[in-house]
Amino acid sequence: MNRLSGEEWQGGHYLSVPLSSHTHTNAHLQRHTRTHTHTHTHTFTLSRVVPSVAALMTWLHSAAFTRRLARSIAYLFPSGLFDNKAKPLMKHPDEVFPKQRAVQWGADGRPFHFLFYTGKQSYYSLMHDTFTKALAVEKHQDRLRGKGLFTQDAKQISLVGSRWLLKEELEELLVETISDHDYARFIQLMERLLSLPYCSAEEDFVQRYRRQLEIQSSKQQVQPLQYDQHGVAYSTGDGRRKTATGTVLLRDSGSGSISINGTNYVHYFPVLQDREQLMFPLHFMGVLGRFDMQCSVSGGGHSSQAGALRLAISRAMLSFLSEGQVETMRQAGLLTPDPRIKERKKPGQEGARRKFTWKKR
Amino acid sequence: MSASITGLLKPWTPRLFLVRWSRYNPYYLEPEPRKEVYHIPETELTPEQKEERELKSVRPIKAATNSVTSSVFNDPVLSKFVNMMMKDGDKIIAKGIITQTLENMKRKQVEKYHKAPEGKKAEIECNPYAIFHQALENCKPVIGLASIQKGGKFYQVPIPLTDNRRRFLAMKWMITECRDNKHRLTLMYEKLSQELLAAFSKEGNVVKRKHELHKMAESNRAYAHYRWW
C-alpha cells in the first residue's frame, strides 16, 4: 500500500488506508476500503497519515501542514491571533487571588498582635475596640449627668439610608473568616453602641461599618420624549398584570380622549372601578385632560386589563415628568408591576387553600 | 452593592411554607396613593416624617391595589365594607348595592330635611358618607370576649380589642343583620339603609348587639385576671 505523502493530500480523492498492510487480510481490506469523492464531510485522522514519530516530524515541518494550520487559524480566529479586541478578558489579580495575610510574627517567633492566639485577631480586636468606645461614651454620659447637663435629645446618628455590612463584606474587611454567630454578636454590639444617647461622638467609626443603600428611583428607566411630524410630543408604554398585557400611545394633544382596541373607553370598561384605575395616574399628577391615549390590551379579565393599562400609562407618562414627580409616582405604587398571580393548586388539596372534606372514617 | 439586596426585590416565595404570606418580599413598603401628602412643603414636616421619606426613597414600594385611587371618592373603610359584602368575587354587585344604599340614605335624609321645621334643619345630616362612618363608629364594640380554658372549663374572659378587630366586628354584624333579619321581599340596599340610619341614631339591632356584648363583658369581669397578655 502506498503511504500518502503530504502533497497527495490536497483535496483530491483519497482512499482510507489501513495503518500497515501486514495486519489486515484482504477481506478486511475490502470491508474497510471505500471510495468517496472529497466533500467537507471527510475526517482528518493524524494516525492515517503519520504513523511514526519520524513521519510526524516530517509532517510538522512540511508546507502542507503550514497551509493547513493557516486555514485553521483563519477559521477559528477570524480577526487573527494578535488583534486587540480578540484578547481574552481577564480579571484584575486582586479579584482572582484572595487577600492573604502578611507574616504575623517577628524573627524571634513572637506574634505582633496581642490577640494572635485567639485565632481571629482582627475580629476580636474589632470587638474590643467597639466595646472600649461604648465604655468611653458611657463614661462621657456619666460625667454629663454629674454636671447636670445630660439630655435625652442629643443629636443622633442618621441610619436611614444605609445598612450594616454583610458577613461577606466584613470578612473581606478583616481578611479572615468569621462564623454567623460571630457576625451576629458584632451587629449586636454595634446596636448596643447605637442605643446610647450620646453615641454621635463615634459616628465615623460606626459609618465605616455601614454601606449606603442606593436610591430606588434612579433605577427607573425613562424613555426620551419623541415627536411626530406635527411636532406633537408622544410616548409609548406597556404594562402587564396577571395574564393581561397592554400598550399605550400617549399624545400631548390636550383633548383627553381615550380609545381602547378601537372602542371608546366608556364602552370598553362599563365598570366604574376600571375607569378609575385608568384615570389614577393622570389624576394623581393633575394632567387629566392633557393627553390623548390610544390603548391596546389583550388577555386576562376586565380588572387585570385595567391594571395592565394603568401600569402602561404610568410608564408612558414618565417621559413627560421631572425626577421629583417620578419619585412621587413610585411612592404612590404606580410604577411597580403587580407580582400577584393565581396561587397554584397543591396535591392532596382541592384548591390552593381549600382542603378536601374531612371524613371521620 | 450586594447580591442579597437584589434578591429581595424579586417576586418572592418564602423558603418555609407559611400560611399567611404574600408575593412581595417583606422588604417592600406600603404605597401612599393620596395626593395631599406629597404637596406638604419640606419645612412643615416633622422629623419622623422626614425620616420616613428618606426610608421610602431607598426601599422598593408595593404596587397599589386595583380598588385604590387618589380620587376624593376613594374611602378605605367603604372599600373594606364592599369587600366583606362581596360573594364569590362579584364586586360589581356588591359595589352596586352600596351605591344604592348611599343614594337611598341621602333621599331619606333630604326628605326629612325638607319636612323639618327651620330650627331642626341644621341637625339633620345629609351626607351619606358621614352617616355611614358615624353609624359604623356607633356599632363598634369597645371590649370583647375570648374563650379561655382554665382547669378543664371554658370561661368567657373580657379582653381589649384592636382597632381592626372592632371595625371588622361592626361590619360583620351589620352585614349578617341585613342578610338574616329581613322580610323576604325587602331588597338588601333598603334594609341596609334602614339599619345604617338606625345605627346613626344609636338604635337598631346592631347597636343592641354591641350593648349585649358589653353587658356580657361587664358581668364576666371577675374572670378578667385569666387573661395573660
Side-chain angles (χ1 to χ4, degrees):
Chain A
M1 285 280 136
N2 287 335
R3 301 262 161 81
L4 288 173
S5 64
E7 278 76 11
E8 284 169 20
W9 194 267
Q10 304 309 309
H13 302 265
Y14 85 104
L15 299 167
S16 60
V17 179
L19 282 180
S20 48
S21 48
H22 64 272
T23 52
H24 298 278
T25 59
N26 276 341
H28 188 78
L29 260 177
Q30 267 146 35
R31 268 205 305 279
H32 283 277
T33 308
R34 52 190 190 281
T35 328
H36 58 265
T37 49
H38 169 70
T39 56
H40 53 270
T41 56
H42 83 263
T43 49
F44 172 73
T45 320
L46 191 59
S47 55
R48 289 249 156 84
V49 182
V50 281
S52 73
V53 178
L56 177 65
M57 290 294 124
T58 329
W59 165 241
L60 284 175
H61 292 292
S62 66
F65 174 73
T66 323
R67 282 194 291 273
R68 188 171 191 92
L69 186 63
R71 277 203 342 253
S72 308
I73 290 175
Y75 176 73
L76 292 168
F77 304 105
S79 47
L81 283 175
F82 302 107
D83 193 284
N84 259 331
K85 289 183 195 168
K87 284 187 181 152
L89 289 170
M90 295 201 288
K91 289 186 188 171
H92 193 272
D94 276 348
E95 290 170 45
V96 180
F97 301 107
K99 278 196 214 166
Q100 276 168 353
R101 281 262 175 75
V103 169
Q104 300 290 305
W105 50 87
D108 55 348
R110 286 192 72 206
F112 298 130
H113 203 285
F114 72 106
L115 290 173
F116 175 78
Y117 288 111
T118 58
K120 296 181 263 194
Q121 65 182 50
S122 328
Y123 169 73
Y124 282 113
S125 85
L126 172 63
M127 295 290 273
H128 183 70
D129 290 337
T130 317
F131 192 64
T132 318
K133 289 188 195 292
L135 287 176
V137 169
E138 279 176 2
K139 198 166 162 188
H140 174 64
Q141 279 173 189
D142 289 335
R143 249 184 282 128
L144 286 178
R145 267 200 206 95
K147 289 186 205 163
L149 298 166
F150 181 83
T151 44
Q152 278 296 338
D153 32 281
K155 184 173 169 284
Q156 295 295 317
I157 306 179
S158 167
L159 299 169
V160 178
S162 55
R163 58 163 179 92
W164 286 118
L165 229 49
L166 295 175
K167 180 166 165 259
E168 291 78 22
E169 291 170 348
L170 186 62
E171 281 182 347
E172 211 184 344
L173 198 71
L174 298 175
V175 198
E176 67 188 15
T177 43
I178 52 177
S179 71
D180 288 332
H181 179 73
D182 291 337
Y183 176 70
R185 292 288 286 207
F186 169 66
I187 299 295
Q188 224 175 18
L189 188 57
M190 285 300 220
E191 293 286 349
R192 189 173 145 181
L193 174 60
L194 289 173
S195 67
L196 303 168
Y198 278 84
C199 59
S200 49
E202 307 297 344
E203 183 166 352
D204 298 324
F205 176 74
V206 171
Q207 292 292 4
R208 240 187 289 158
Y209 298 98
R210 285 191 81 92
R211 291 280 177 269
Q212 285 298 115
L213 292 163
E214 47 184 79
I215 307 284
Q216 291 294 326
S217 58
S218 56
K219 290 188 189 167
Q220 278 308 328
Q221 287 153 335
V222 180
Q223 307 294 331
L225 211 48
Q226 293 157 294
Y227 293 88
D228 68 1
Q229 74 249 49
H230 302 294
V232 175
Y234 72 93
S235 69
T236 52
D238 45 70
R240 264 197 284 212
R241 170 95 215 275
K242 281 192 191 172
T243 29
T245 45
T247 49
V248 142
L249 179 77
L250 214 62
R251 240 188 272 113
D252 196 0
S253 45
S255 63
S257 73
I258 307 176
S259 76
I260 306 177
N261 287 353
T263 52
N264 194 15
Y265 73 109
V266 184
H267 299 313
Y268 194 83
F269 286 130
V271 182
L272 175 68
Q273 185 182 285
D274 300 336
R275 291 198 299 272
E276 273 182 342
Q277 286 298 293
L278 286 186
M279 300 304 163
F280 183 9
L282 305 173
H283 176 263
F284 186 75
M285 294 276 68
V287 291
L288 271 174
R290 182 172 150 192
F291 295 108
D292 224 7
M293 288 194 271
Q294 277 170 327
C295 321
S296 64
V297 68
S298 66
H302 64 97
S303 219
S304 42
Q305 283 188 344
L309 281 180
R310 185 186 89 182
L311 184 60
I313 293 169
S314 318
R315 284 181 176 163
M317 261 174 72
L318 289 183
S319 326
F320 292 92
L321 300 175
S322 69
E323 282 236 6
Q325 288 172 315
V326 168
E327 173 62 18
T328 321
M329 275 191 82
R330 187 190 74 91
Q331 289 193 11
L334 283 166
L335 297 175
T336 324
D338 205 325
R340 300 178 294 169
I341 51 167
K342 192 167 161 166
E343 200 175 319
R344 69 158 281 196
K345 178 200 175 308
K346 283 103 194 171
Q349 293 177 7
E350 180 146 355
R353 298 284 170 116
R354 165 139 171 88
K355 321 286 183 282
F356 289 123
T357 317
W358 183 77
K359 295 200 180 87
K360 201 163 179 181
R361 48 187 74 84
Chain B
M1 269 298 112
S2 50
S4 57
I5 298 289
T6 47
L8 293 172
L9 301 177
K10 297 180 196 139
W12 178 72
T13 340
R15 281 287 161 96
L16 207 56
F17 199 78
L18 305 164
V19 176
R20 197 184 288 184
W21 58 282
S22 91
R23 289 278 290 177
Y24 291 107
N25 198 291
Y27 199 57
Y28 280 68
L29 298 175
E30 296 294 328
E32 179 55 76
R34 294 173 299 163
K35 274 210 284 196
E36 320 77 61
V37 173
Y38 299 103
H39 291 317
I40 309 172
E42 280 286 326
T43 44
E44 285 174 36
L45 293 173
T46 62
E48 285 90 23
Q49 280 175 320
K50 282 200 186 112
E51 234 187 80
E52 208 186 297
R53 273 212 186 169
E54 272 184 49
L55 184 68
K56 282 207 156 184
S57 69
V58 288
R59 287 276 197 101
I61 311 274
K62 296 183 187 179
T65 35
N66 59 1
S67 47
V68 151
T69 52
S70 57
S71 144
V72 289
F73 303 111
N74 180 46
D75 189 1
V77 178
L78 204 63
S79 304
K80 191 59 93 176
F81 194 73
V82 169
N83 285 342
M84 283 190 68
M85 196 138 151
M86 176 167 64
K87 277 188 178 175
D88 297 328
D90 207 342
K91 195 176 263 198
I92 303 174
I93 292 181
K95 183 85 184 146
I97 293 172
I98 299 291
T99 322
Q100 285 171 319
T101 312
L102 294 170
E103 189 192 327
N104 204 321
M105 283 202 296
K106 175 103 190 194
R107 279 184 194 278
K108 285 185 186 163
Q109 289 296 91
V110 168
E111 204 182 314
K112 233 165 81 174
Y113 180 85
H114 287 311
K115 284 185 186 160
E118 284 305 319
K120 305 275 170 119
K121 282 203 177 186
E123 290 162 8
I124 298 176
E125 177 64 62
C126 283
N127 185 1
Y129 294 95
I131 299 175
F132 175 78
H133 285 122
Q134 187 54 47
L136 222 54
E137 274 298 323
N138 294 346
C139 293
K140 282 186 187 175
V142 169
I143 196 167
L145 290 173
S147 191
I148 293 180
Q149 189 185 25
K150 189 114 177 161
K153 270 173 73 178
F154 286 90
Y155 298 97
Q156 294 295 316
V157 176
I159 53 160
L161 297 172
T162 57
D163 272 334
N164 278 342
R165 179 76 185 154
R166 295 171 62 213
R167 189 185 63 179
F168 170 77
L169 283 173
M171 290 184 186
K172 181 97 182 184
W173 289 342
M174 182 64 73
I175 292 170
T176 38
E177 166 66 37
C178 293
R179 281 183 184 159
D180 302 339
N181 297 355
K182 66 180 174 77
H183 184 70
R184 190 176 58 85
L185 290 170
T186 359
L187 294 174
M188 181 68 173
Y189 73 86
E190 178 61 47
K191 174 73 179 170
L192 190 54
S193 56
Q194 283 167 10
E195 276 302 326
L196 283 170
L197 286 168
F200 180 68
S201 30
K202 296 202 177 118
E203 304 149 354
N205 285 345
V206 192
V207 178
K208 201 171 91 172
R209 188 167 170 179
K210 173 188 95 158
H211 287 319
E212 277 169 16
L213 179 64
H214 285 174
K215 277 186 215 149
M216 276 285 283
E218 178 65 36
S219 67
N220 279 8
R221 53 188 284 185
Y223 303 128
H225 64 286
Y226 283 172
R227 178 176 66 99
W228 63 85
W229 63 90

